[in-house]
Amino acid sequence: MEPEVNVNRTDVTDIHPCYEIDHFKYILANTPSFICILLYIFLVLLSVVTICGNLLVIISIIYFKQLHTPTNYLILSLAVADLLVGIIVFPFSMAFSLSSCLYHEDLFCKIRGSFDISLSTCSILNLCCISIDRYYAVCQPLTYRTKINHHVVVIMILVSWGISVLIGIAVIIAGLNSEKCEERCLIDVLMANTIGPILSFYLPVIIMLCIYLKIFIVAQRQARSIQSTKSGPKVSKMERKATKSLSIVMGIFLMCWLPFFIFITFLPFSNDSVPVPVIETLNWLTLSNSMLNPFIYAFFYSWFRSAFRMIISGRIFQGDFANSKLL
């Protein structure tokens, strides 16, 4: 994601370990510092974990027929978006960092920004679709199979990817138009710092928060109704598990995304220069959510863990286990 920011050029070499100024261009240093090397090793590991984790989810859902459900197809779409973040956005962000593109925005920076915005938005919208699926599964279980079927899921996936591509294109067009302005154009600032964040983040987050709050309320009501026929400790355990799951899902998501979007939303109202490390840290924090999603939405389920063990051990190459019963 790329905000419109004010940065002090004279301080670049002092605050970023990997870049230097060359004829007013912000480029990678020929002799990177030790801190820069450690930083890139960490980012490469982050990219590898993101790719491997999402590949496990994708292979599991495609290979094992037990996982061919509408819910898992939404998780599959999310994993594909996060996989592309690991394959495309991570390398582009390391070669053409958000900081460097603030100083010298060339074609590769525009390509980087396009993939960054589109795939990040797609990841968020897929998370929103998963929350809608969970709402019907918990709050309207009797009509779940009729309202959330394969046809509906395909439409949800296509809409998520379509909106993401359109938002990415719109932001890039706004960036191209800004080159014709002597000063920052109002419409471009609104697109980058207001309209884009509202469509890409705030609206989906409000929807998810409302849905998960409704799910939590319904789950508590169901637990209380069961309490008359089951022991109190067992019901209490159910409530704690539901609360823990919802808290982890929304907590990690907001931890990764909320700081960055608050930053770019209120940035136009500040006249102070922005330290490069702040921009970089917030940007990489958002991208790290693509690494965490497989753990959040897959590792909670025992059948995914069984599928992962079979894939990692290589058992699926020793025979046909597509119809295996996953525990």
Side-chain angles (χ1 to χ4, degrees):
M1 310 296 290
E2 298 193 18
E4 297 285 342
V5 298
N6 296 320
V7 191
N8 190 342
R9 290 177 180 271
T10 60
D11 297 334
V12 173
T13 55
D14 296 328
I15 62 179
H16 200 293
C18 300
Y19 289 85
E20 61 185 15
I21 290 289
D22 181 22
H23 295 91
F24 300 101
K25 292 183 179 181
Y26 196 44
I27 62 174
L28 280 169
N30 293 326
T31 55
S33 65
F34 179 72
I35 297 178
C36 177
I37 294 174
L38 289 180
L39 175 62
Y40 271 78
I41 290 176
F42 171 75
L43 295 179
V44 168
L45 291 176
L46 194 67
S47 177
V48 170
V49 173
T50 301
I51 294 172
C52 292
N54 286 287
L55 271 178
L56 283 175
V57 176
I58 293 171
I59 295 172
S60 298
I61 296 175
I62 293 177
Y63 182 80
F64 294 101
K65 294 183 179 180
Q66 180 182 338
L67 301 181
H68 292 181
T69 64
T71 301
N72 288 335
Y73 288 145
L74 290 173
I75 296 178
L76 174 64
S77 177
L78 172 65
V80 170
D82 290 335
L83 175 67
L84 293 177
V85 169
I87 294 176
I88 300 175
V89 178
F90 272 69
F92 264 119
S93 295
M94 286 186 282
F96 304 93
S97 73
L98 184 58
S99 304
S100 66
C101 289
L102 293 173
Y103 289 86
H104 182 67
E105 186 174 357
D106 55 15
L107 176 61
F108 286 102
C109 286
K110 292 181 175 63
I111 295 175
R112 171 206 177 281
S114 178
F115 280 110
D116 187 356
I117 294 169
S118 296
L119 293 176
S120 297
T121 301
C122 187
S123 181
I124 295 175
L125 293 181
N126 275 291
L127 293 175
C128 190
C129 290
I130 291 173
S131 69
I132 295 174
D133 171 82
R134 291 299 84 206
Y135 168 79
Y136 282 104
V138 175
C139 301
Q140 300 184 24
L142 298 180
T143 60
Y144 171 71
R145 293 187 180 277
T146 57
K147 291 187 176 181
I148 306 295
N149 50 46
H150 290 82
H151 178 70
V152 172
V153 166
V154 169
I155 294 177
M156 293 171 71
I157 292 173
L158 291 177
V159 169
S160 297
W161 283 89
I163 292 176
S164 303
V165 171
L166 289 177
I167 291 177
I169 293 174
V171 173
I172 294 304
I173 291 175
L176 292 175
N177 290 337
S178 66
E179 296 178 355
K180 302 176 183 178
C181 302
E182 295 181 359
E183 298 181 355
R184 291 193 303 171
C185 299
L186 176 61
I187 185 62
D188 299 326
V189 174
L190 288 174
M191 178 63 70
N193 297 84
T194 304
I195 299 176
I198 288 175
L199 296 177
S200 300
F201 179 75
Y202 290 114
L203 184 60
V205 163
I206 292 174
I207 293 174
M208 281 190 284
L209 285 174
C210 293
I211 289 175
Y212 280 126
L213 178 61
K214 176 66 174 178
I215 291 174
F216 177 69
I217 294 174
V218 171
Q220 281 193 319
R221 187 184 306 125
Q222 292 174 347
R224 285 193 295 267
S225 65
I226 296 173
Q227 192 169 9
S228 59
T229 58
K230 294 188 177 182
S231 61
K234 186 172 184 179
V235 174
S236 178
K237 183 178 180 180
M238 291 171 57
E239 291 182 356
R240 288 197 302 269
K241 185 176 181 180
T243 303
K244 181 180 179 181
S245 299
L246 294 179
S247 299
I248 292 175
V249 166
M250 287 306 302
I252 294 180
F253 173 79
L254 292 175
M255 178 189 71
C256 292
W257 286 97
L258 190 59
F260 180 82
F261 277 96
I262 291 178
F263 168 75
I264 65 174
T265 300
F266 291 98
L267 190 61
F269 304 101
S270 174
N271 294 323
D272 298 330
S273 61
V274 181
V276 172
V278 172
I279 304 172
E280 293 288 354
T281 301
L282 294 179
N283 184 62
W284 283 105
L285 183 61
T286 62
L287 295 179
S288 68
N289 189 238
S290 295
M291 176 198 69
L292 297 172
N293 282 335
F295 298 92
I296 299 171
Y297 288 92
F299 290 176
F300 278 142
Y301 303 102
S302 59
W303 51 85
F304 270 109
R305 291 195 295 270
S306 298
F308 293 162
R309 284 194 293 267
M310 294 181 67
I311 295 172
I312 294 174
S313 64
R315 286 185 59 192
I316 62 173
F317 301 106
Q318 301 172 5
D320 186 5
F321 294 94
N323 294 307
S324 298
K325 183 67 176 180
L326 301 173
L327 300 178

